[in-house]
Amino acid sequence: MEAQPVDPAAIGMLLNRAHRLARAHANDAARPTGIELQHAGVLTAVRAGGVRSQRELGAALGVDKSTLVRIVDDLEHRNLVRRQRSASDRRAYEIVITEEGERRLDEAGDLFAEAVAGLLKVFDDADQRRLHELLTRFVAQES
């Protein structure tokens, strides 16, 4: 007997639920640091360098302008980043991570990893490698 095809809508809904589950666990775990995944994405991109202006940062992260401004405002209010005038374009602002931002991002990163590792315990090592491979192929379509 042939296996029934998998409903693409069911896969889409499972991917959405998996994303929400992982995000919620990671954010809960890192709550003591005050860093959520959306903050970590911005802080990580800023720390990596190459992306300096808010416009470049939004494009690199695929985040719309208003959402990015809200996140950067929040990070700046918490003294995790600062805006400074660009030396090359006085109309633009560069986003710079602070020492406190570096420290809290490192703490949150460890907690995010522990939270997701806990969720992945339902899979053995081979299944985790296969899941990683499949998801890597899936998101590669984005480029």
Side-chain angles (χ1 to χ4, degrees), residues 77-96:
H77 177 74
R78 297 172 189 213
N79 193 36
L80 304 179
V81 298
R82 71 177 186 281
R83 289 177 172 104
Q84 64 186 30
R85 288 271 185 203
S86 170
S88 61
D89 181 355
R90 299 298 292 165
R91 298 168 296 170
Y93 284 93
E94 294 179 346
I95 310 302
V96 179

Side-chain angles (χ1 to χ4, degrees), residues 1-5:
M1 181 168 208
E2 278 188 49
Q4 294 293 323

Side-chain angles (χ1 to χ4, degrees), residues 2 9 12 19 23 33 43 48 50 55 58 62 72 74 85-86 93 95 97-98 101-102 120 123 126 138 140-141:
E2 278 188 49
H19 164 75
R23 183 185 65 213
T33 68
L43 290 170
R55 186 177 44 80
V72 172
D74 188 30
R85 288 271 185 203
S86 170
Y93 284 93
I95 310 302
I97 191 168
T98 64
E102 295 266 5
L120 291 172
F123 302 118
F138 184 78
Q141 300 175 92

Side-chain angles (χ1 to χ4, degrees), residues 47-61:
R47 177 162 64 182
V51 175
R52 304 301 294 191
S53 73
Q54 282 187 190
R55 186 177 44 80
E56 292 171 333
L57 188 57
L61 295 172

